[in-house]
Amino acid sequence: MAVDLERGKKLMSEMRVYFQRMENREAELLKQRTETAANYGGYTSALIVAAALIAILISGIFFARILKDYRVRTALQVELEKKDRETAERIRVISNIASQIALGNYKTRVDNTQTDALGKVADSLNEMAQSLDESFTNLSDSEWLQSGVARLNNEMLGDRDIKELAGTVLDFIANYTGSQAGVFYLLQNENLIFTAGYGYDSDAVKKQLIPGEGLSGQAAASGKLLEIKTPEPDSIKISYALGEALPKHIVALPLQANGMVGVIEMATVSEYGNKEINFFEAMSKNIAIAFQVAQNRRRIQELLEETQSQSEELQTQHSELESMNAELEVQTEKLQASEEELKVQQEELQQTNEELNERSVLLEEQNLEIQKNPKP
């Protein structure tokens, strides 16, 4: 029993010591936790202050960003409104240009320096206008050329003297092409002979050229259209009532159709364009044919006159032949009488020949008999 009590006391003492240790340990832990809590409390205040400052900073940044975005959006809105006004104005201009093109004003262009969609539309519109302008210009030039050739052909119709025809041709070409002077040379006996002139200084123009001499002679020798711009002062002069003027552009046009016919030399105080040059080349063959026809007509007329003269001579010769025929008829009758006499003589000769033939046969038979029965 005493042992148990002793043991119980011992256990109680150990338990008290154990509990005491536990209390001490708990006190130490409480102290540590209290100190840690105190430290955390200081950190928390600092963190709250830092968080508040960071929140204020972030709010300021967001406010500045929002303000900047607002200003950017406002500027964009202003820019878009400006763009809208510019776009509307450009659309109005493009629409106006398109209307002018639709009305036939193909020279108009859109003044465009932008590369956006409307800029591409404007470029396309300019290209279309340029293409239409070139097409209608070519069509107009072609119509002008064909009309000029047709009118010149009408001017060259009819039975005209060669000099009159040359003058008519020069007058028409000068008026139609805006030329102020011109000369016409026809090829005769291997030389170019002056035939007609328009607005020229007669003293300065040569009346005769050889192929290869001067611009006209060289055009005749080469068979090609030749031209001189800003010619020399001693070249052809344009004559008018108050004096003379020097041309700025001279064209020598050879006239050939199955051979060289002549040369036309035209001059202007301005300058010929491609339209006029094409007209010169288009009409050259028709003019050459017209003068070949005129020359042939003149030759035919000369032949007709010569034929008429020969006809009169033949009429005279015919009268002479008639009298000769009368004489021949008399001689023919005489010859016929002689022929009849000759026929009678021929018949007599034929009878004589027959008798001679018969006698020849008899002689041959006698000779044969003699040969068969020779004498002893």
Side-chain angles (χ1 to χ4, degrees):
M1 184 71 174
V3 174
D4 292 332
L5 290 171
E6 213 40 61
R7 184 180 296 173
K9 289 180 180 180
K10 187 177 180 179
L11 289 171
M12 289 294 293
S13 296
E14 291 178 355
M15 289 177 65
R16 288 191 188 98
V17 172
Y18 184 74
F19 284 122
Q20 188 63 40
R21 289 179 180 175
M22 289 179 63
E23 289 179 358
N24 293 335
R25 181 60 179 169
E26 288 293 333
E28 290 178 358
L29 290 174
L30 180 60
K31 184 179 179 180
Q32 290 178 357
R33 289 173 180 170
T34 302
E35 291 177 355
T36 301
N39 290 333
Y40 284 155
Y43 291 152
T44 300
S45 299
L47 286 173
I48 291 170
V49 173
L53 292 175
I54 291 171
I56 293 171
L57 180 61
I58 291 173
S59 298
I61 292 171
F62 274 105
F63 178 76
R65 183 65 179 272
I66 291 170
L67 183 61
K68 181 180 179 181
D69 289 343
Y70 174 76
R71 290 175 178 174
V72 170
R73 289 181 181 180
T74 302
L76 287 174
Q77 182 69 26
V78 173
E79 184 69 20
L80 286 173
E81 292 176 355
K82 181 180 178 182
K83 287 286 186 182
D84 287 341
R85 289 193 297 271
E86 291 178 354
T87 301
E89 178 64 19
R90 290 170 65 190
I91 291 173
R92 186 189 66 78
V93 171
I94 291 173
S95 177
N96 185 31
I97 296 296
S99 298
Q100 293 184 34
I101 293 173
L103 293 174
N105 183 12
Y106 306 118
K107 298 292 184 183
T108 186
R109 297 289 185 274
V110 179
D111 186 11
N112 177 64
T113 58
Q114 304 295 326
T115 58
D116 55 1
L118 280 178
K120 293 180 180 179
V121 171
D123 291 340
S124 299
L125 192 62
N126 286 338
E127 291 176 1
M128 182 185 71
Q130 182 177 359
S131 177
L132 288 172
D133 184 31
E134 292 175 355
S135 298
F136 278 92
T137 299
N138 292 335
L139 183 62
S140 176
D141 291 349
S142 177
E143 183 179 358
W144 179 85
L145 186 149
Q146 293 176 4
S147 175
V149 171
R151 289 173 58 186
L152 178 59
N153 290 339
N154 290 332
E155 292 288 333
M156 293 188 296
L157 292 176
D159 187 4
R160 297 187 182 184
D161 178 73
I162 288 180
K163 288 188 176 181
E164 180 186 357
L165 180 60
T168 300
V169 169
L170 277 182
D171 288 346
F172 178 84
I173 294 174
N175 292 324
Y176 200 71
T177 61
S179 302
Q180 284 72 45
V183 289
F184 197 116
Y185 289 95
L186 279 179
L187 185 65
Q188 297 178 10
N189 299 324
E190 303 300 326
N191 289 324
L192 293 170
I193 307 300
F194 175 82
T195 307
Y198 177 90
Y200 67 103
D201 182 3
S202 59
D203 295 331
V205 173
K206 293 184 177 181
K207 303 302 180 182
Q208 182 172 331
L209 297 172
I210 61 174
E213 179 184 1
L215 186 67
S216 293
Q218 189 61 40
S222 65
K224 297 179 180 179
L225 183 147
L226 301 179
E227 54 184 319
I228 295 178
K229 296 181 181 179
T230 60
E232 298 295 330
D234 58 349
S235 62
I236 185 174
K237 294 181 177 60
I238 299 171
S239 178
Y240 56 98
L242 299 178
E244 297 175 344
L246 291 176
K248 291 185 179 179
H249 198 172
I250 299 176
V251 172
L253 177 67
L255 307 176
Q256 49 188 347
N258 297 323
M260 184 61 60
V261 176
V263 177
I264 292 177
E265 187 173 304
M266 302 300 298
T268 178
V269 294
S270 55
E271 186 172 341
Y272 295 118
N274 292 331
K275 180 174 68 173
E276 288 77 16
I277 298 298
N278 292 335
F279 175 71
F280 288 143
E281 292 178 340
M283 70 180 181
S284 62
K285 187 174 181 180
N286 292 352
I287 297 175
I289 293 173
F291 276 88
Q292 284 180 338
V293 170
Q295 290 172 339
N296 291 335
R297 189 185 298 116
R298 185 178 64 179
R299 293 191 189 99
I300 291 171
Q301 184 64 32
E302 292 173 353
L303 289 173
L304 286 174
E305 293 175 356
E306 184 179 353
T307 302
Q308 186 175 0
S309 175
Q310 290 176 353
S311 177
E312 293 175 356
E313 293 179 0
L314 287 173
Q315 186 68 30
T316 303
Q317 293 176 1
H318 180 68
S319 300
E320 295 176 354
L321 287 172
E322 283 182 347
S323 60
M324 293 174 64
N325 285 333
E327 294 178 0
L328 287 173
E329 286 179 358
V330 174
Q331 293 179 359
T332 301
E333 291 176 356
K334 293 180 180 180
L335 288 173
Q336 287 178 353
S338 299
E339 286 179 357
E340 291 178 357
E341 292 178 0
L342 288 174
K343 286 181 179 179
V344 173
Q345 292 176 359
Q346 285 178 354
E347 291 177 355
E348 293 176 354
L349 288 173
Q350 189 173 0
Q351 291 177 358
T352 304
N353 286 332
E354 290 178 355
E355 292 176 358
L356 290 174
N357 287 331
E358 290 177 356
R359 291 178 182 180
S360 296
V361 172
L362 291 173
L363 288 173
E364 287 179 0
E365 290 178 352
Q366 291 175 0
N367 288 330
L368 290 172
E369 290 179 359
I370 292 171
Q371 290 176 0
K372 290 179 180 180
N373 300 308
K375 292 182 179 182

